[in-house]
Amino acid sequence: MTKALAAALALALAVAAFIFIGRKADTPPPPPPPYVETRWLFGTQVTVTLAGLSPEAAKNASAKAFAPMEAVDGAFARRAGTLLDALNRAGSLAVSPELFGVAKRALFWAGETGGAFDPTVGALVDLWAVESGPHKPPERQEIEKTLGRTGWRKVSLDEGSLRIETGATLLELGGIAKGFALDEAAAALKASGARDFIVDAGGDLVLSGSKNGSPWRVGVRDPRSGTALSRVLFPASGAIVTSGDYERFFEWEGVSYSHIIDPATGFPAQGVRSATVWAENAMDADALATAVCVLGAEKGLALVAAHPPSEAYVIYASGVSRETPGFAKVAPEAASPHYSRTP
Ligand code: AMP
Ligand code: MG
């Protein structure tokens, strides 16, 4: 190689290095993709998504988030062998502070909703057996008889000994326990230093912070479609929970019967296709979403408006939707190719 050629080559390399380094300084490296972990709990997929942490820190935080959710699933479900099952069998039992606290909040919401949210509908849930079948409405007489085994006023709580007395009623926390579990997960994540996360349990979720500076994007399921979304939102930190007649139901002679029971009649609630509630915590959002399905859109929206800061978006059985005035503020809508307002 001639001297001139070597000099030209060295210059070209120096220029290339300058451009490369200059570019690097202008555009910082893209942030690492969020950490995502999924497990099966509460009969659904639960996903923890964490942004802004190293893979190792994210993995540790995620494990801390799943631990309390697994504990809630293991203690609050109605299946044999859980703490709730032991209470229902005994009719009176000293329980964990967690179970006591959730039962207490459930009874609070029973009072606030005039009994529309009722954590003693267990016997009716069993009678209708929407999950296990035979997928046929029970006899009216059976419903009347079973109504006698429900009623939130029959439950009493002894704060000192954490003892719950249920008598012959069956405590059923399916309408609120998942929300509590999400709050426990969020608290565990915050305690382990995570600030930017979503915990999503089958579309019910708690979220905090952002995805590397961009707001988290959340889809609200379209109740009449398995895959489409009825809205795509950028919700504020807090919780978004959706209840609806489409989640678990059976059809009989052209009528759809859902897993949400109206405690006043003993029949599955009718009239609301889905209720999406934003609240600061998921336990309250969960109870409110279930209650709105029972109360109907009008009374339901009034209930939510009476418990700030919470907001709701309701789709009637007819497909028409309504929302509280502040819903769009806490959960602004995102432009989305999936967007379809008519379910
Ligand atoms: P969610 O999906 O949160 O609306 O909860 C529905 C579950 O809550 C049902 O599967 C039942 O276990 C329970 N549930 C049904 N009806 C009621 C009610 N009126 N009040 C409280 N919980 C209910
Ligand atoms: Mg609920």
Side-chain angles (χ1 to χ4, degrees), residues 109-177:
W109 283 116
E112 291 299 295
T113 60
F117 184 86
D118 186 335
T120 66
V121 290
L124 284 165
V125 168
D126 293 351
L127 181 67
W128 282 90
V130 169
E131 292 200 39
S132 54
H135 297 160
K136 179 179 172 220
E139 298 296 327
R140 197 166 277 268
Q141 262 178 327
E142 279 296 308
I143 296 169
E144 294 293 330
K145 209 169 85 192
T146 312
L147 272 168
R149 291 185 61 207
T150 67
W152 63 276
R153 290 178 203 277
K154 295 174 185 162
V155 176
S156 61
L157 305 179
D158 180 345
E159 195 103 28
S161 60
L162 300 184
R163 181 167 287 274
I164 303 180
E165 300 255 2
T166 56
T169 75
L170 295 178
L171 203 61
E172 161 71 66
L173 299 172
I176 192 170

Side-chain angles (χ1 to χ4, degrees), residues 116-118 121 172 174-175 243 247-248 259-261 263 286 290 294:
F117 184 86
D118 186 335
V121 290
E172 161 71 66
S243 281
E247 288 177 295
R248 277 169 243 142
H259 67 138
I260 298 174
I261 308 284
D286 195 354
T290 307
V294 176

Side-chain angles (χ1 to χ4, degrees), residues 299-314:
K299 284 189 188 156
L301 289 170
L303 167 80
V304 171
H307 290 88
S310 63
E311 305 290 345
Y313 160 64
V314 180

Side-chain angles (χ1 to χ4, degrees), residues 97-262:
E98 290 79 15
L99 180 51
F100 192 89
V102 174
K104 190 174 167 188
R105 195 67 182 161
L107 293 174
F108 165 80
W109 283 116
E112 291 299 295
T113 60
F117 184 86
D118 186 335
T120 66
V121 290
L124 284 165
V125 168
D126 293 351
L127 181 67
W128 282 90
V130 169
E131 292 200 39
S132 54
H135 297 160
K136 179 179 172 220
E139 298 296 327
R140 197 166 277 268
Q141 262 178 327
E142 279 296 308
I143 296 169
E144 294 293 330
K145 209 169 85 192
T146 312
L147 272 168
R149 291 185 61 207
T150 67
W152 63 276
R153 290 178 203 277
K154 295 174 185 162
V155 176
S156 61
L157 305 179
D158 180 345
E159 195 103 28
S161 60
L162 300 184
R163 181 167 287 274
I164 303 180
E165 300 255 2
T166 56
T169 75
L170 295 178
L171 203 61
E172 161 71 66
L173 299 172
I176 192 170
K178 203 206 280 179
F180 169 70
L182 287 169
D183 290 333
E184 291 278 283
L189 286 172
K190 285 180 180 163
S192 65
R195 290 287 165 270
D196 301 303
F197 58 80
I198 289 195
V199 185
D200 180 342
D204 297 339
L205 45 96
V206 284
L207 72 160
S208 168
S210 67
K211 183 181 169 186
N212 303 317
S214 311
W216 291 109
R217 198 166 179 273
V218 161
V220 177
R221 287 160 297 173
D222 180 336
R224 284 296 180 265
S225 153
T227 51
L229 302 174
S230 77
R231 281 177 92 155
V232 180
L233 308 168
F234 289 130
S237 281
I240 287 262
V241 175
T242 301
S243 281
D245 68 0
Y246 60 94
E247 288 177 295
R248 277 169 243 142
F249 65 94
F250 66 83
E251 278 182 353
W252 179 259
E253 294 182 345
V255 181
S256 175
Y257 296 96
S258 97
H259 67 138
I260 298 174
I261 308 284
D262 182 346

